[in-house]
Amino acid sequence: SDESVSRTHLTVQLDPGRAVVIDRGSTNGTVVHHRDGREQPLRPHEPQEVGEGAVVVLGVTTLHVGRAVGDLEHTVLRR
């Protein structure tokens, strides 16, 4: 329900032990806040690996990167 995020704003690729985010050329952009304090605006269409503890901000929505607990689908999609 975030009006500043489009349906195709961001791609999240999850592999064992690795997460990659790709801004798909969104109008409002995406910013990664790394665990070490760095703030990194994503460049459109450039994959960026994000580590545990990172926060991905798109619009007013935040995604917190952490380890999956049990069932990966429910861990990622929980509210």
Side-chain angles (χ1 to χ4, degrees), residues 17-53:
R18 183 170 184 244
V20 175
V21 291
I22 305 166
D23 184 285
R24 297 182 63 186
S26 65
T27 301
N28 295 319
T30 305
V31 177
V32 176
H33 297 268
H34 294 278
R35 192 173 182 175
D36 64 6
R38 289 180 297 128
E39 182 177 298
Q40 178 182 20
L42 296 184
R43 294 182 187 186
H45 309 289
E46 288 188 17
Q48 175 61 53
E49 187 166 348
V50 290
E52 186 173 354

Side-chain angles (χ1 to χ4, degrees), residues 66-79:
R67 293 185 187 273
V69 177
D71 180 5
L72 179 62
E73 181 178 350
H74 290 102
T75 299
V76 173
L77 299 177
R78 71 178 178 220
R79 290 190 179 265

Side-chain angles (χ1 to χ4, degrees), residues 6-21:
S6 69
R7 188 178 327 179
T8 60
H9 191 111
L10 185 75
T11 295
V12 178
Q13 297 174 339
L14 299 175
D15 297 314
R18 183 170 184 244
V20 175
V21 291

